[in-house]
Amino acid sequence: MARRRDSLAKVDNLDARKAKYAPIAAALTDVYGKLDWSRNQDGMDELISCILSQSTNDSNRDRAFARLKERFADWEAVRFAGLDDLIEAVRPAGLANQKAPRIQEALRAIYEKAGEYSIDFLNDLSLDEAKAWLVSLKGIGPKTAAIVLCFAYGRPAFPVDTHIFRVGKRIGFLPEKLSADDAHPVMEAIAPPEDYYQFHIQLIQHGRDTCRARKPACERCRICDYCDFYTSAGASA
């Protein structure tokens, strides 16, 4: 709660930023459709997949995760695997020398906490407690914690990735100088909790399809009327 208050204190005109949500959410739902939460992976798979996803693309992450599952029978086997073998298994994700020991350290911490290789105990914690426990793991930050809680457990956490961070600043949800870590509680204040999952995915899709990093397609953007970037001189630069 203290972190949330500190982050929101850095945001000017918060009510005006919140007012953008309803029309933008409606427009994005028209474009990308309504999305209901569904669990594609359990908590452990989501967490390990997130560790592999750091500083790489989805394709490389998925290749590494598939190799990990193919080569090791279960999470205990991963935890006690020879480090060289684990590094080789996750090499497609890049930074394997960092990610392999992080995975083993996370598995050790999980087993010491739960007595099994499961993080379902997070559902018994408050949201703030669950986030705090996850970020206590080496290499796990607010984004990964929010992804695990939102996607694996349907908890009201709003993950902010590079697409959402970029789009959020262009639209005006996020102040220009706000850090990525502070962006999570701000987006949680802007969107209603029941819409976090849907709005997260819609903003990512919009960032990939239209509001791209180098050449945003403002001419065909359905939310340009509400976008600070479009209405500024930067849109025509």
Side-chain angles (χ1 to χ4, degrees), residues 20 166-167 169-172 211-218 224 226-237:
K20 290 175 176 280
R166 178 181 72 253
V167 175
K169 287 192 172 184
R170 284 178 176 169
I171 290 170
C211 195
R212 299 184 295 265
R214 293 190 178 182
K215 292 184 178 180
C218 298
C224 61
Y226 312 101
C227 177
D228 288 356
F229 176 80
Y230 181 76
T231 57
S232 72
S236 57

Side-chain angles (χ1 to χ4, degrees), residues 26 45 78 109 124 144 148 183 219 229-230 236:
D45 283 7
V78 174
D124 298 325
T144 294
V148 170
E219 71 282 356
F229 176 80
Y230 181 76
S236 57

Side-chain angles (χ1 to χ4, degrees), residues 48 52 64 67-69 71-72 74-75 77-92 96-105 107:
I48 303 304
L52 293 173
R67 281 162 57 111
L68 188 70
K69 288 286 195 170
R71 297 189 182 193
F72 301 100
D74 51 29
W75 293 122
V78 174
R79 178 185 172 188
F80 292 107
L83 186 56
D84 288 344
D85 291 340
L86 185 56
I87 288 171
E88 180 57 31
V90 302
R91 193 172 298 282
N97 290 341
Q98 296 177 24
K99 293 177 181 180
R102 283 181 181 176
I103 288 170
Q104 290 187 323
E105 175 60 20
L107 292 172

Side-chain angles (χ1 to χ4, degrees), residues 92-158:
L95 301 177
N97 290 341
Q98 296 177 24
K99 293 177 181 180
R102 283 181 181 176
I103 288 170
Q104 290 187 323
E105 175 60 20
L107 292 172
R108 180 197 62 77
I110 289 164
Y111 191 83
E112 288 181 356
K113 171 70 175 179
E116 59 181 340
Y117 296 103
S118 169
I119 55 172
D120 288 352
F121 67 86
L122 294 173
N123 263 335
D124 298 325
L125 304 179
S126 71
L127 186 62
D128 286 342
E129 289 171 336
K131 286 180 179 180
W133 192 87
L134 284 167
V135 300
S136 73
L137 301 176
K138 186 175 182 179
I140 302 301
K143 182 181 77 170
T144 294
I147 289 172
V148 170
L149 292 170
C150 180
F151 280 76
Y153 297 102
R155 303 289 296 273
F158 197 107

Side-chain angles (χ1 to χ4, degrees), residues 5-233:
R5 288 194 300 269
D6 291 345
S7 298
L8 294 181
K10 300 175 183 178
V11 180
D12 61 332
N13 302 318
L14 183 58
D15 287 343
R17 297 177 192 278
K18 287 182 178 181
K20 290 175 176 280
Y21 169 77
I24 288 174
L28 293 180
T29 298
D30 284 343
V31 176
Y32 302 111
K34 184 172 176 58
L35 303 169
D36 294 320
W37 176 77
S38 60
R39 191 186 202 193
N40 294 321
Q41 297 189 110
D42 67 19
M44 288 298 300
D45 283 7
E46 195 72 63
L47 177 62
I48 303 304
S49 179
C50 280
I51 293 173
L52 293 173
S53 74
Q54 295 166 357
S55 301
T56 193
N57 58 42
D58 291 352
S59 177
N60 290 339
R61 173 204 64 199
D62 291 344
R63 286 173 56 215
F65 188 75
R67 281 162 57 111
L68 188 70
K69 288 286 195 170
E70 289 169 1
R71 297 189 182 193
F72 301 100
D74 51 29
W75 293 122
E76 183 173 27
V78 174
R79 178 185 172 188
F80 292 107
L83 186 56
D84 288 344
D85 291 340
L86 185 56
I87 288 171
E88 180 57 31
V90 302
R91 193 172 298 282
L95 301 177
N97 290 341
Q98 296 177 24
K99 293 177 181 180
R102 283 181 181 176
I103 288 170
Q104 290 187 323
E105 175 60 20
L107 292 172
R108 180 197 62 77
I110 289 164
Y111 191 83
E112 288 181 356
K113 171 70 175 179
E116 59 181 340
Y117 296 103
S118 169
I119 55 172
D120 288 352
F121 67 86
L122 294 173
N123 263 335
D124 298 325
L125 304 179
S126 71
L127 186 62
D128 286 342
E129 289 171 336
K131 286 180 179 180
W133 192 87
L134 284 167
V135 300
S136 73
L137 301 176
K138 186 175 182 179
I140 302 301
K143 182 181 77 170
T144 294
I147 289 172
V148 170
L149 292 170
C150 180
F151 280 76
Y153 297 102
R155 303 289 296 273
F158 197 107
V160 176
D161 74 343
T162 55
H163 293 292
I164 293 175
F165 194 51
R166 178 181 72 253
V167 175
K169 287 192 172 184
R170 284 178 176 169
I171 290 170
F173 286 141
L174 305 172
E176 187 57 37
K177 294 183 179 180
L178 195 74
S179 72
D181 285 351
D182 283 325
H184 292 81
V186 175
M187 290 305 300
E188 288 178 352
I190 284 172
E194 63 271 17
D195 291 350
Y196 286 173
Y197 175 82
Q198 172 173 280
F199 199 50
H200 167 85
I201 294 176
Q202 289 172 339
L203 285 176
I204 289 177
Q205 194 64 46
H206 193 66
R208 289 172 173 168
D209 293 347
T210 304
C211 195
R212 299 184 295 265
R214 293 190 178 182
K215 292 184 178 180
C218 298
E219 71 282 356
R220 59 177 174 82
C221 178
R222 292 282 297 277
I223 60 173
C224 61
D225 288 345
Y226 312 101
C227 177
D228 288 356
F229 176 80
Y230 181 76
T231 57
S232 72

